[in-house]
Amino acid sequence: MLKLRLSRGGTKKRPVYKIVVAESRFARDGRFIEKLGFFNPLLPKEKKERIGLESERIKYWLSQGAQPTTRVARILGENNFIPMPKSGNNPNKAIPKKERNKEAEAPKEEAKPAAEAPKEEAKPAAEAPKEEAK
């Protein structure tokens, strides 16, 4: 099966990706059929040098049945080659880790008073039958 996918290049901690057509069985950075563009994740999203695509060849390979990977599908969707794929349900990944920890602690604190409230309600209910028994 043919895939449109990213092939990693660049140096350690400085990735640059090629968008390539490759057989799905081939290694990620291994043999590929054709290079269709590049993606530099280190540049800001506003810069047009971040992504370079060969539109004619991408349309050709999509017509031949090549399936884009999730990341490549998002890149192609942003550039109007294909409809934008649905976003996945991964809400915590968008929040910085420090803020995630703060949010995780906050519900625990709120849960404690809520847990104590039913106990207090249970005590008067338990006392009420005693009073009636007297």
Side-chain angles (χ1 to χ4, degrees):
M1 171 183 228
L2 293 177
K3 291 272 191 184
L4 296 177
R5 66 180 182 194
L6 296 175
S7 175
R8 191 173 194 270
T11 62
K12 183 177 177 182
K13 300 192 186 244
R14 305 281 301 169
V16 176
Y17 297 93
K18 292 184 284 193
I19 299 171
V20 298
V21 177
E23 184 66 33
S24 61
R25 296 173 293 169
F26 294 164
R28 179 193 71 182
D29 300 333
R31 196 164 78 183
F32 61 89
I33 298 169
E34 184 177 353
K35 179 183 171 188
L36 303 176
F38 64 89
F39 170 60
N40 187 350
L42 299 177
L43 293 176
K45 291 183 179 180
E46 304 84 43
K47 289 203 171 195
K48 57 184 173 183
E49 297 89 28
R50 179 181 166 100
I51 299 172
L53 301 170
E54 294 183 26
S55 59
E56 295 292 324
R57 298 306 295 167
I58 290 172
K59 289 176 186 174
Y60 169 77
W61 284 109
L62 289 173
S63 69
Q64 296 299 312
Q67 296 295 314
T69 59
T70 308
R71 176 61 62 188
V72 173
R74 290 197 54 205
I75 291 170
L76 296 178
E78 290 170 359
N79 290 289
N80 301 319
F81 285 101
I82 60 173
M84 191 67 171
K86 294 182 201 173
S87 59
N89 185 15
N90 200 356
N92 289 335
K93 282 289 190 176
I95 302 169
K97 193 170 186 179
K98 291 179 182 177
E99 293 177 19
R100 264 187 266 166
N101 293 339
K102 290 177 186 175
E103 290 178 9
E105 292 172 4
K108 290 178 184 176
E109 293 171 5
E110 293 173 6
K112 289 179 183 177
E116 293 172 5
K119 291 178 184 176
E120 292 173 9
E121 292 174 5
K123 288 179 184 177
E127 293 172 5
K130 291 178 183 176
E131 291 175 20
E132 292 175 7
K134 288 183 183 177

